[in-house]
Amino acid sequence: MSAVPLKNTDAAHDGVRGITVLGATGSIGDSTMDLLRAAPEKYRVEALTGNANVAGLAKLAKEFNARFVAVADPARLGELRAALAGTDIAYGAGESAVIEAASRPADWVMAAISGAAGLKPALAAVDRGATVALANKECLVCAGDFFMSRAVASGACILPADSEHNALFQALASGNRHELTRVIITASGGPFRTWSAADIEQATLAQALKHPNWSMGQKITIDSASMMNKGLEVIEASYLFALSPDEIDVLVHPQSIVHGMVEFADHSVVAQLGAPDMRIPIAHCLGWPDRIVGRAARLDLAKIGQLTFEAPDFERFPGLRLAYDALRAGNGATTVYNAANEIAVAAFIAQKIRFGAIARLVEDTLNGWIRAGNLAPLSSADDAIAVDHNARKMAATLLPQIAAKAS
Ligand code: NAD
Ligand code: MG
């Protein structure tokens, strides 16, 4: 049984639905609020969360008349109290308040906190059997199969919000699961698609933050430049749809119009296309199993003219290869992959390591973890969080030697 529904059901939405947005102040949060804003009669906002941007969070809470607001940074409680003065919006601060936000009774929850920090809140929504639109791929990569089995146990419905996985979700509906032979997720190739390995090694933060097609948060933009994002997405696809690594292919497609494809036994390939705008997959999740009116630009293929495709280069983008290695190793290796990458990206942003060192830190952490005999199945959220924590420590220990080493 899968927590990701494979076919549309007949159940349509009537009445007003309760909505919670975890990570409301981020890029995905912003796109989600834009869709809610367009049809206020359909939605009631239960809870909103943010990390540190209290002013932005309070502004949204007032606009949508949210019932509860949580700021993750516990030091900002007073600031939030002041910002909400004169309203009857309940509020809290710290991780427990974010988890409370996820636990409150909303029918539909957008999980869009960035990084493994999103795991516990997403699980809180999953455990009460909510419909969870999952944008936060790191939490799935961190908790793996365990996350999906918790969803099956509680009856939660997981709707893939990441554009490639949403494309697969849509394409899968045209066949049966046992008829699937392969999925293909596309990658723009990022800003360094045509760069030499030597130039990628030396890339600056400003260069890494210039994504050719998508406007996104900082972490995922850097992950796109290293293609670690695609690695995370290969792992995400494996857990979401119970696919083996051999059933998942990556195809570089610089225009980012075709987001994902499913190949079936008869060798039909079904693709989903759309403008590179996250409001399209989010609208699909928000409307599901119905379709709602979109807010993104309609696709004009005549104007785009050409769609091109190329094979990914695992040599210049070793992060992608490492994702397959981690997936094959299993037993917490994908948790380590994600944790080491989070440490590496933070170190790159802080200008402690070169761009090329991101993948080296992930590789050395994975190898060190496996050599130390640390691979073991994850059977609880605490297991996943412990592996995440220890892998971060190992990555932080390896960081100085990676920083000192030239490529
Ligand atoms: P972002 O950095 O713009 O926003 C992240 C949100 O999480 C913000 O609301 C922030 O306040 C909150 N947050 C950050 N750290 C937190 C913490 N420790 N505790 C609680 N809240 C915290 O990121 P984004 O681009 O919106 O991405 C969010 C997630 O969605 C990521 O997992 C990303 O991989 C995924 N995703 C994003 C896109 C995109 O187009 N932006 C596409 C697909 C998937
Ligand atoms: Mg994606």
Side-chain angles (χ1 to χ4, degrees):
M1 198 180 149
S2 169
V4 180
L6 290 182
K7 295 265 184 191
N8 280 7
T9 66
D10 293 334
H13 302 296
D14 44 12
V16 175
R17 281 194 300 157
I19 306 285
T20 285
V21 183
L22 307 172
T25 53
S27 167
I28 293 286
D30 196 43
S31 296
T32 308
M33 301 321 283
D34 184 65
L35 288 161
L36 299 180
R37 195 174 279 123
E41 70 290 352
K42 285 193 189 168
Y43 313 111
R44 169 187 66 71
V45 172
E46 178 64 38
L48 299 175
T49 80
N51 188 35
N53 175 5
V54 168
L57 187 60
K59 188 163 178 262
L60 286 174
K62 288 181 196 166
E63 178 190 350
F64 288 90
N65 198 22
R67 292 188 178 169
F68 182 77
V69 185
V71 62
D73 180 352
R76 295 182 189 263
L77 181 64
E79 205 184 317
L80 184 60
R81 181 184 302 121
L84 294 174
T87 72
D88 57 2
I89 301 169
Y91 56 87
E95 190 191 38
S96 59
V98 177
I99 292 171
E100 184 187 339
S103 310
R104 290 175 69 105
D107 306 292
W108 189 93
V109 178
M110 167 51 79
I113 290 173
S114 66
L119 176 59
K120 279 191 187 171
L123 277 174
V126 161
D127 283 345
R128 64 178 182 77
T131 295
V132 178
L134 192 67
N136 175 212
K137 64 196 81 179
E138 296 95 333
C139 83
L140 195 57
V141 171
C142 174
D145 283 329
F146 167 74
F147 186 93
M148 296 307 288
S149 50
R150 282 270 279 264
V152 170
S154 69
C157 171
I158 306 292
L159 301 177
D162 202 350
S163 55
E164 298 76 4
H165 306 76
N166 184 265
L168 299 182
F169 176 39
Q170 296 199 40
L172 275 165
S174 71
N176 291 304
R177 176 63 182 81
H178 68 274
E179 295 154 354
L180 173 156
T181 46
R182 171 170 76 120
V183 303
I184 301 159
I185 58 177
T186 59
S188 69
F192 309 144
R193 179 175 61 89
T194 58
W195 288 29
S196 69
D199 288 345
I200 295 173
E201 171 68 27
Q202 308 287 350
T204 65
L205 179 59
Q207 289 167 330
L209 287 174
K210 253 193 221 123
H211 197 281
N213 303 337
W214 296 93
S215 151
M216 311 181 283
Q218 192 178 50
K219 155 91 174 27
I220 184 175
T221 305
I222 293 168
D223 286 346
S224 298
S226 64
M227 289 195 79
M228 285 285 178
N229 181 52
K230 215 45 58 181
L232 292 167
E233 291 184 351
V234 166
I235 300 168
E236 183 185 12
S238 165
Y239 292 139
L240 275 174
F241 303 111
L243 297 167
S244 72
D246 298 335
E247 291 174 312
I248 308 166
D249 281 346
V250 171
L251 186 62
V252 174
H253 166 45
Q255 297 81 16
S256 297
I257 299 297
V258 179
H259 302 296
M261 307 174 223
V262 175
E263 180 192 78
F264 291 99
D266 59 5
H267 295 179
S268 284
V269 177
V270 180
Q272 185 262 353
L273 287 75
D277 185 324
M278 285 307 292
R279 289 175 300 180
I280 297 175
I282 297 169
H284 178 255
C285 294
L286 191 57
W288 194 89
D290 300 330
R291 297 271 182 180
I292 60 175
V293 177
R295 300 270 291 163
R298 291 168 74 179
L299 190 57
D300 184 347
L301 283 176
K303 198 163 158 200
I304 293 162
Q306 277 196 331
L307 300 181
T308 60
F309 302 92
E310 51 197 74
D313 185 336
F314 292 88
E315 297 301 321
R316 285 182 305 127
F317 298 99
L320 188 54
R321 168 178 55 79
L322 292 170
Y324 281 96
D325 292 348
L327 202 46
R328 289 197 173 96
N331 295 311
T334 65
T335 317
V336 177
Y337 174 86
N338 178 64
N341 182 51
E342 287 197 33
I343 295 291
V345 171
F348 173 68
I349 292 171
Q351 306 198 335
K352 286 188 196 152
I353 58 170
R354 289 186 187 160
F355 187 79
I358 294 176
R360 287 198 290 282
L361 183 61
V362 174
E363 181 151 30
D364 285 8
T365 309
L366 265 172
N367 287 341
W369 188 267
I370 293 169
R371 265 200 314 272
N374 287 335
L375 288 181
L378 306 178
S379 54
S380 69
D382 288 340
D383 271 4
I385 288 162
V387 171
D388 176 68
H389 177 79
N390 292 331
R392 279 168 200 270
K393 273 207 327 221
M394 184 182 271
T397 310
L398 293 170
L399 193 61
Q401 70 198 59
I402 294 277
K405 231 189 287 173
S407 67

